[in-house]
Amino acid sequence: MTTVTETSSTSTEPDRVPLERWLGVAAVAVGTFSVVTSEQLPVGLLSSVSGALGVSEGTAGLMVTVPGLVASATAPILPVAIGRLDRRIVLLGLITLMVAANVMSAAAPNFAVLLISRFLVGIAIGGFWALAAGIAVRMVPSKFVPQATAIAFGGATAANVLGVPAGTLIGQLTDWRIAFGVLGGLGLLVVTALLLLLPQMPADRPVHLRTLAAQFRNPVVRTGVLVTFLLVSGHFAAFTFIAPIIESHIGIDKNLIGPVLLTYGVAGIIGTFLTGLAGSRNIRATIIAISIVLASILVLVALIGTTSIVGIVLLIAWGLAFGGIPVGVQTWILGAAPDSAEAATALNTAMFNLAIALGALFGGIITDSVALTAVLWFGAALSILASVAVLTTRPARN
């Protein structure tokens, strides 16, 4: 079995990447797809679970909150805890944990056991996300890093488009327990793919707590983590309430919300890969452009997105813009910290998951206390702040 060590940029980098390496990156993307689907699957199953286990829908929402908070804590801790352990072994272990957790969810006799399984899912999510981008970086030469990162994070976008709707449909047609079981089966396929396609990946530079703290001395990493918080929390403050926005503000029939969101998600996947291509030229300028475009779109949805045609066009543009944020910010951070990829990624992953939870919380407060469309203005304001933060940060590497 071959071994991959830390990738460094040289003047004699190959112009092509072996197919096996791209397949390995694709396997990581499918792993990302599975863990993100595991995190968000309960969104479409809340009513079924609450009815079956005798809890309120609000309480059932803890199935999403718990893994998100656990993932935000696990992301920076796990890279420190595993030391020099082969990253291939760790990824296999994390996906196996996800499989076991989903099987446990499917068989849960009560809500307490279900929450324990969701806690385990959070560990798998945080750990896998923290290592995934670093793995992609080590699989290809530096000139191909933006594309590899786009593929790895494209799995997360695909989960929002295909994973959650498909899991929800399975739950509706059969039973919510079957949906969790099917996801566990997908996890077994991912374990097989990673086992066959990933080479050994020993850690030449183990992550220590001081390594994590040191990342904040890097201005790009520091700003990148802040930008992740601003863009992701602003997006989820609005997107958490996308269904009522589509129905009551844009005026689209509630029976068409699913197809509209599917279109939005497909646009998100396209945005992910467009950002990967643009980022290979100037990733800093790309992030600034995405932030400004996202802010403009959110404002336009609030002001003129009150008809079906205009609203759908703006939603597609929204998907294109947000789809590029994870890969864009991550690529910028990795370019500034090539020798501390795992530590920098861990911090960004922790902030990403925390931003999801806090964005939804802020959005709920604003919706209840101001108005539904106020979350669009809130998201736009945070996006503008993100563009200013990037614009005023001197990049360590471009």
Side-chain angles (χ1 to χ4, degrees), residues 124-173:
I125 295 167
F128 199 95
W129 269 69
L131 299 178
I135 294 296
V137 167
R138 295 175 64 180
M139 292 288 287
V140 300
S142 61
K143 65 184 292 184
F144 295 100
V145 164
Q147 294 94 318
T149 305
I151 292 173
F153 279 91
T157 305
N160 292 317
V161 179
L162 302 174
V164 175
T168 302
L169 181 61
I170 292 172
Q172 291 173 341
L173 295 177

Side-chain angles (χ1 to χ4, degrees), residues 348-365:
N348 195 49
T349 300
M351 186 59 72
F352 197 103
N353 282 278
L354 185 61
I356 291 174
L358 294 182
L361 176 62
F362 296 152
I365 294 173

Side-chain angles (χ1 to χ4, degrees), residues 63-120:
M63 291 189 296
V64 179
T65 303
V66 167
L69 293 177
V70 173
S72 68
T74 302
I77 293 174
L78 186 109
V80 175
I82 61 179
R84 291 185 178 275
L85 190 62
D86 190 327
R87 271 41 184 168
R88 175 175 177 267
I89 295 175
V90 177
L91 287 186
L92 288 169
L94 290 169
I95 292 296
T96 301
L97 177 62
M98 186 212 76
V99 171
N102 280 298
V103 171
M104 186 177 178
S105 295
N110 53 57
F111 190 68
V113 173
L114 186 55
L115 276 189
I116 293 173
S117 72
R118 301 301 295 166
F119 182 93
L120 297 177

Side-chain angles (χ1 to χ4, degrees), residues 7-66:
T7 299
S8 59
S9 178
T10 69
S11 59
T12 59
E13 285 187 341
D15 293 326
R16 297 177 66 255
V17 179
L19 177 61
E20 184 180 358
R21 289 296 179 87
W22 284 122
L23 290 176
V25 174
V28 173
V30 178
T32 307
F33 172 89
S34 64
V35 295
V36 173
T37 301
S38 291
E39 180 179 25
Q40 300 186 16
L41 179 61
V43 169
L45 304 174
L46 287 183
S47 297
S48 300
V49 173
S50 64
L53 299 183
V55 297
S56 68
E57 290 191 359
T59 300
L62 291 173
M63 291 189 296
V64 179
T65 303
V66 167

Side-chain angles (χ1 to χ4, degrees), residues 368-383:
D368 290 341
S369 60
V370 185
L372 178 61
T373 54
V375 294
L376 296 166
W377 292 94
F378 177 73
L382 293 188
S383 296

